[in-house]
């Protein structure tokens, strides 16, 4: 939001006849994290963990420590899990 829009919002809120309880409720709503924020954080953590694990597997394969899965094996695994 722009500063202008925020100022207009603040002017509107100040113009409301809010009781102390209503002001506390509004403040709580403004400060509490959105449910989407928690979900997004979990998704980001999952993606980071998955990509880190995959990168480590590729590095290990380059060192000859691990045999990488073939494309056919990968697709077969996805089909078995019902992903595709």
């Amino acid at each position: 939001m722009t500063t202008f829009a925020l100022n207009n919002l603040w002017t509107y809120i100040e113009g409301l006849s809010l009781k102390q309880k209503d002001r506390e409720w509004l403040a709580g709503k403004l400060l509490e994290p959105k449910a989407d924020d928690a979900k997004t954080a979990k998704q980001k953590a999952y993606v980071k963990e998955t990509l880190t694990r995959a990168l480590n597997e590729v590095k290990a394969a380059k060192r000859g420590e691990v045999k990488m899965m073939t494309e056919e094996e990968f697709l077969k695994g996805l089909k078995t899990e019902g992903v595709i």
Side-chain angles (χ1 to χ4, degrees), residues 4-22:
F4 180 74
L6 288 171
N7 284 331
N8 283 339
L9 177 60
W10 182 247
T11 302
Y12 173 75
I13 291 171
E14 283 184 320
L16 298 173
S17 58
L18 298 175
K19 297 177 185 169
Q20 182 63 28
K21 184 177 177 181
D22 297 329

Side-chain angles (χ1 to χ4, degrees), residues 19-39:
K19 297 177 185 169
Q20 182 63 28
K21 184 177 177 181
D22 297 329
R23 288 178 180 268
E24 290 171 4
W25 175 88
L26 180 59
K29 287 293 183 184
L30 291 172
L31 294 176
E32 74 183 20
K34 296 189 302 186
D36 291 342
D37 292 343
K39 183 179 178 182

Side-chain angles (χ1 to χ4, degrees), residues 38-76:
K39 183 179 178 182
T40 300
K42 286 181 183 179
Q43 289 172 336
K44 285 181 180 180
Y46 172 77
V47 169
K48 181 179 179 181
E49 176 188 331
T50 303
L51 290 175
T52 301
R53 188 173 53 240
L55 180 60
N56 288 336
E57 288 178 10
V58 168
K59 287 178 180 179
K62 284 185 177 182
R63 291 189 302 264
E65 298 170 1
V66 176
K67 179 184 174 281
M68 293 297 291
M69 191 183 304
T70 66
E71 294 171 6
E72 291 81 19
E73 292 169 332
F74 178 74
L75 291 173
K76 182 179 178 183

